[in-house]
């Protein structure tokens, strides 16, 4: 058990960022990985030119890596934003414009998980208004994801680093997942269980795994404190991943941590090379 029997993928929006986007899939492959994930790569636009989508698709294909997770447009991320779908006005309109673009791109590369970050609370806007808008947009996104055979992911973040983000417990994200599934009847909304974020919130991660493994569609890890590679903090990540597997989770585990002061290629020394290609 432990790390050697997991299906790892590398998040190319936090690792290998010293390289241009189109060079990162090959760098992940050179480090021994066959699967990657991405935040929405075009921060400034929800609707990039088709040529940019084609170039990314080609970079993935040429590197031999599979994209297994993709965020919908989420505003300035990295940056001050934490999603767009619950933000009234231009940002939620940009999210809606992105839905089919992201879903169609995911379909073109065989990606089966689309993450929809909820968005920050906005001063002067009734939270109930934001939640109503969020549910409307998530329902639309879930239907688009279903159209291409994908899951819609809803993620918990952590309050210390994202104080305006309302989903800062596993239970709060699960509530949204359940609302979306009830509204669509599709059952394809799932929980994105990020061990680092849950631990930063002070949650009992093992208890969250036991309670919500069946509703989990994707997992991400980083150690805590520091959001570094496994072994740089104090989280029992091997034990927690084993617990997930025993609870029935057999999906992807995204490596969403900071490389620190080392080149990204050295940020995987904790993981034997033979465990890096996805089984």
């Amino acid at each position: 058990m432990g790390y050697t029997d997991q299906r790892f993928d590398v998040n190319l929006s936090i690792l290998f960022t010293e390289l241009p986007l189109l060079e990162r899939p090959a760098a992940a492959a050179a480090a021994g990985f066959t699967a990657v994930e991405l935040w929405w790569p075009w921060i400034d636009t929800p609707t990039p030119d088709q040529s940019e989508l084609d170039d990314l698709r080609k970079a993935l294909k040429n590197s031999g890596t599979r994209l297994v997770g993709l965020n919908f447009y989420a505003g300035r991320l990295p940056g001050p934003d934490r999603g767009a779908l619950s933000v009234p006005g231009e940002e939620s309109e940009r999210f809606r414009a992105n839905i089919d673009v992201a879903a169609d791109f995911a379909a073109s590369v065989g990606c089966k998980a689309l993450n929809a970050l909820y968005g920050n609370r906005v001063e002067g806007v009734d939270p109930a208004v934001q939640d109503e808008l969020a549910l409307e947009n998530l329902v639309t996104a879930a239907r688009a994801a279903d159209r291409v055979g994908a899951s819609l992911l809803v993620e918990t973040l952590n309050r210390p680093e994202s104080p305006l983000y309302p989903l800062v417990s596993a239970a709060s994200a699960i509530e949204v997942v359940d609302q979306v599934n009830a509204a669509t009847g599709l059952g394809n909304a799932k929980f994105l269980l990020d061990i680092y974020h849950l631990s930063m919130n002070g949650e009992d991660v093992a208890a969250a795994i036991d309670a919500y493994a069946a509703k989990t569609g994707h997992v991400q890890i980083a150690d805590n404190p520091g959001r570094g590679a496994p072994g740089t903090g104090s989280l029992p990540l091997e034990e927690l991943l084993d617990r997930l597997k025993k609870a029935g989770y057999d999906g992807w585990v995204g490596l969403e941590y900071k490389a620190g002061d080392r080149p990204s290629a050295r940020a995987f020394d904790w993981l034997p090379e033979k465990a890096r290609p996805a089984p």
Side-chain angles (χ1 to χ4, degrees), residues 29-187:
F33 293 92
T34 55
V36 298
E37 62 181 63
L38 280 166
W39 303 339
W40 184 248
W42 299 280
I43 295 172
D44 296 327
T45 179
T47 55
D49 290 340
Q50 186 61 45
S51 62
E52 294 188 75
L53 296 163
D54 291 342
D55 286 345
L56 178 55
R57 185 184 304 108
K58 183 178 178 181
L60 292 163
K61 181 179 179 180
N62 288 347
S63 68
T65 56
R66 176 185 170 193
L67 187 69
V68 299
L70 176 67
N71 283 14
F72 287 106
Y73 170 80
R76 291 164 293 169
L77 181 75
D81 298 333
R82 297 292 185 272
L85 62 91
S86 69
V87 180
E90 183 179 354
E91 278 300 274
S92 63
E93 291 171 5
R94 286 160 73 88
F95 175 82
R96 284 193 290 271
N98 174 248
I99 289 174
D100 283 330
V101 175
D104 289 344
F105 180 78
S108 76
V109 295
C111 176
K112 299 297 184 183
L114 288 158
N115 184 29
L117 284 168
Y118 201 83
N120 289 328
R121 290 303 192 204
V122 179
E123 186 176 357
V125 178
D126 185 343
V129 170
Q130 285 196 256
D131 292 339
E132 182 179 358
L133 175 63
L135 182 58
E136 177 185 329
N137 283 334
L138 285 167
V139 164
T140 303
R143 288 176 175 149
D146 180 71
R147 174 175 62 80
V148 299
S151 297
L152 172 78
L153 302 175
V154 178
E155 182 176 7
T156 294
L157 300 183
N158 74 78
R159 190 180 299 278
E161 294 174 328
S162 303
L164 299 178
Y165 192 82
L167 307 184
V168 289
S169 68
S172 63
I174 290 291
E175 181 180 3
V176 173
V177 166
D178 289 345
Q179 289 174 345
V180 174
N181 285 332
T184 65
L186 297 171

Side-chain angles (χ1 to χ4, degrees), residues 174 189-191 208-217 244 247-249:
I174 290 291
K190 303 284 185 181
F191 178 39
I209 287 170
D210 292 346
Y212 305 125
K215 295 184 178 182
T216 296
L244 267 162
Y249 179 76

